[in-house]
Amino acid sequence: MAAVSAIETQRTVEAVWRIESARLVAGLARMTHDIDAAEELAQEALVAALQQWPQSGVPDNPGAWLMSVAKRRAIDEFRRQQRFERKVAELGRDLEHDAWQQPEPDLDRIDGGIEDDLLRLVFTACHPVLPTEARVALTLRLLGGLSTGEIARAFLAPEPTVAQRIVRAKKTLAKKQIPFEVPRGEELAPRLASVLEVIYLIFNEGYSATAGDDWMRPELCAEALRLARVLAGLANAEPEVHGLVALLEIQASRSRARVGADGEPVLLLDQNRARWDQLLIRRGLAALDRAESLTDEPGPYQLQAAIAACHARARRPEDTDWHRIAALYEELAVVNPSPVVELNRAVAVSMADGPAAGLQLVDELRDEPALRNYHLLPSVRGDLLAKLGRHGEARAEFDHAAALTGNERERALLLDRARQARGS
């Protein structure tokens, strides 16, 4: 019976950690001005919980308990560093004398502005001074509460590689003396764009895995969506934040329909739309409405969400407003010029005006350096050629696309399309 209780307690601790770790690290980072030290203190509090909660039981306010323990450890560390008198005022003198058996302090009283602390942590972890891969890893570690091993498995990367990314990221932030603060004025827009990019990249890697045996990695989609929702609560007046939430909610609504019984990919027009999650769609459309109410100049995430909404509103594939989607891609190409956007616009044009019109646009992209190793260029071209009855050319394009993709499920799909073209 005791073993069962210990296992249950460990599960509770893990669940609490996933919920509270970001707030804990954020609050400690504000006090210590050192993300690495803040994470170490948070981890020490976690160890204390694992040791004490099986005997004492889970406290009524586990987040406050963890914060209280971490702050006491911080006080001990500051004392050892001969800086106790200066730092204790920031941590709260009363905590030094609290007995362990006393009720846990009120977290809101100790940490006024905890939401501001979280926002500071988001912007710090996603600072543009860090390489993109480091930003992603550090965000999942500090804000997602994921272990290094979990991050490594999610991105099919060696655990030592991910660990080094996180260590180097922390060292870079310290060396560059990046302030633990929310950017203001002219700094806000580019810094916010960096945060949104990280969340978007995490979601996309889960939604269409770039490598490995699985078409999707749902745990990454779920984590990105959670982070986006948290950010929307912290930065409620930013339209692009709501645009990103809308995009991710609507995309995530199709997750169950995107994978077949054997794990094979199911493309958009072949999906059983009855399997789309209507709750997520409603949440996405509500977030899109919120974004649209905040600005008359939609940004790239809001425009992509509007495109996703066109699909979500179509009960059947033939009900899709492809002319509207093509127009939205045209707007997106102005706001965020990209050959990938142009390729997606070509697909929409092909659906609206026929495969010949789409192929003409695709062929204009064949010499684009950024698309040289992008498997979706020959994949789209193969699809349009097949629709035009040019099956030999289509087969070659599907074979080329299969050779370029790093995802085994997608490769199998493309090779199957090549076989179908051979039989036509």
Side-chain angles (χ1 to χ4, degrees):
M1 199 69 166
V4 173
S5 176
I7 291 172
E8 290 176 350
T9 302
Q10 182 173 345
R11 288 174 179 165
T12 300
V13 172
E14 290 172 354
V16 169
W17 176 255
R18 184 58 60 90
I19 295 168
E20 298 290 346
S21 61
R23 294 182 179 88
L24 193 60
V25 173
L28 294 166
R30 172 173 55 82
M31 299 167 197
T32 63
H33 304 288
D34 185 333
I35 285 181
D36 198 26
E39 190 180 12
E40 286 185 14
L41 289 166
Q43 291 285 347
E44 289 179 13
L46 174 64
V47 170
L50 288 169
Q51 292 172 341
Q52 296 182 39
W53 290 3
Q55 286 76 39
S56 64
V58 178
D60 292 335
N61 190 339
W65 191 97
L66 290 168
M67 182 65 81
S68 178
V69 170
K71 285 182 174 181
R72 288 190 180 91
R73 300 292 170 92
I75 289 173
D76 291 341
E77 181 63 26
F78 288 140
R79 181 185 287 116
R80 284 193 293 269
Q81 296 175 11
Q82 303 298 308
R83 291 189 282 130
F84 175 76
E85 291 300 328
R86 180 164 59 87
K87 291 290 185 178
V88 73
E90 298 176 19
L91 298 177
R93 295 181 181 276
D94 57 318
L95 284 175
E96 184 189 9
H97 306 290
D98 282 350
W100 284 94
Q101 292 77 17
Q102 287 181 346
E104 289 78 24
D106 178 27
L107 188 60
D108 291 331
R109 179 176 60 83
I110 296 173
D111 291 308
I114 189 65
E115 300 305 319
D116 289 338
D117 288 341
L118 269 176
L119 199 54
R120 292 185 188 101
L121 185 61
V122 170
F123 278 104
T124 303
C126 297
H127 198 286
V129 73
L130 301 175
T132 300
E133 289 180 335
R135 279 184 275 154
V136 168
L138 193 60
T139 298
L140 287 173
R141 177 62 178 261
L142 297 180
L143 291 154
L146 274 65
S147 68
T148 303
E150 288 172 322
I151 299 168
R153 286 192 295 275
F155 284 92
L156 303 181
E159 189 168 340
T161 300
V162 173
Q164 280 302 309
R165 286 176 190 165
I166 294 171
V167 168
R168 284 196 296 267
K170 292 176 182 176
K171 287 182 177 178
T172 299
L173 292 174
K175 182 179 179 181
K176 300 284 187 180
Q177 297 183 322
I178 301 301
F180 189 68
E181 63 184 18
V182 177
R184 306 291 179 189
E186 294 181 356
E187 284 189 30
L188 178 59
R191 292 283 301 280
L192 181 61
S194 178
V195 173
L196 298 178
E197 178 192 23
V198 167
I199 297 175
Y200 185 56
L201 286 172
I202 293 169
F203 182 88
N204 274 351
E205 184 58 34
Y207 196 68
S208 298
T210 55
D213 297 329
D214 297 319
W215 172 237
M216 292 185 66
R217 298 187 192 127
E219 68 281 2
L220 283 179
C221 291
E223 190 57 41
L225 188 50
R226 187 183 73 83
L227 290 173
R229 289 169 178 166
V230 168
L231 185 60
L234 298 174
N236 194 44
E238 296 293 336
E240 273 293 78
V241 174
H242 295 286
L244 178 64
V245 171
L247 174 60
L248 302 194
E249 298 273 14
I250 296 172
Q251 296 288 71
S253 74
R254 302 200 289 264
S255 295
R256 288 180 300 182
R258 295 185 75 242
V259 181
D262 297 322
E264 74 278 9
V266 181
L267 301 181
L268 177 62
L269 297 182
D270 299 323
Q271 290 171 16
N272 177 1
R273 301 190 176 209
R275 300 193 68 200
W276 289 2
D277 190 320
Q278 294 301 313
L279 174 60
L280 290 180
I281 289 175
R282 288 194 295 273
R283 292 180 67 146
L285 295 177
L288 180 58
D289 287 343
R290 172 65 176 161
E292 291 173 345
S293 73
L294 291 170
T295 182
D296 295 325
E297 299 180 358
Y301 295 108
Q302 184 178 328
L303 288 169
Q304 289 177 81
I307 292 167
C310 289
H311 293 297
R313 292 184 175 112
R315 295 288 184 179
R316 303 171 301 167
E318 56 267 33
D319 296 334
T320 307
D321 188 348
W322 287 106
H323 286 96
R324 170 66 176 157
I325 292 174
L328 286 167
Y329 272 121
E330 194 167 351
E331 282 188 61
L332 183 59
V334 174
V335 173
N336 187 33
S338 158
V340 174
V341 172
E342 292 295 347
L343 181 61
N344 287 326
R345 185 171 76 88
V347 172
V349 168
S350 76
M351 297 300 294
D353 300 326
L359 183 61
Q360 182 177 348
L361 295 176
V362 170
D363 284 346
E364 293 174 3
L365 299 171
R366 294 183 73 185
D367 295 327
E368 179 62 50
L371 299 181
R372 185 173 293 115
N373 296 314
Y374 188 56
H375 71 283
L376 290 181
L377 176 60
S379 175
V380 168
R381 193 165 188 274
D383 183 66
L384 297 177
L385 288 166
K387 288 177 179 177
L388 292 169
R390 295 161 61 178
H391 299 293
E393 294 172 85
R395 182 179 66 249
E397 293 290 347
F398 287 132
D399 282 335
H400 184 204
L404 290 176
T405 184
N407 185 278
E408 293 301 325
R409 292 288 186 177
E410 195 165 23
R411 180 177 292 113
L413 174 67
L414 290 164
L415 291 174
D416 186 57
R417 295 292 305 275
R419 283 191 292 271
Q420 291 175 19
R422 286 188 186 92
S424 300

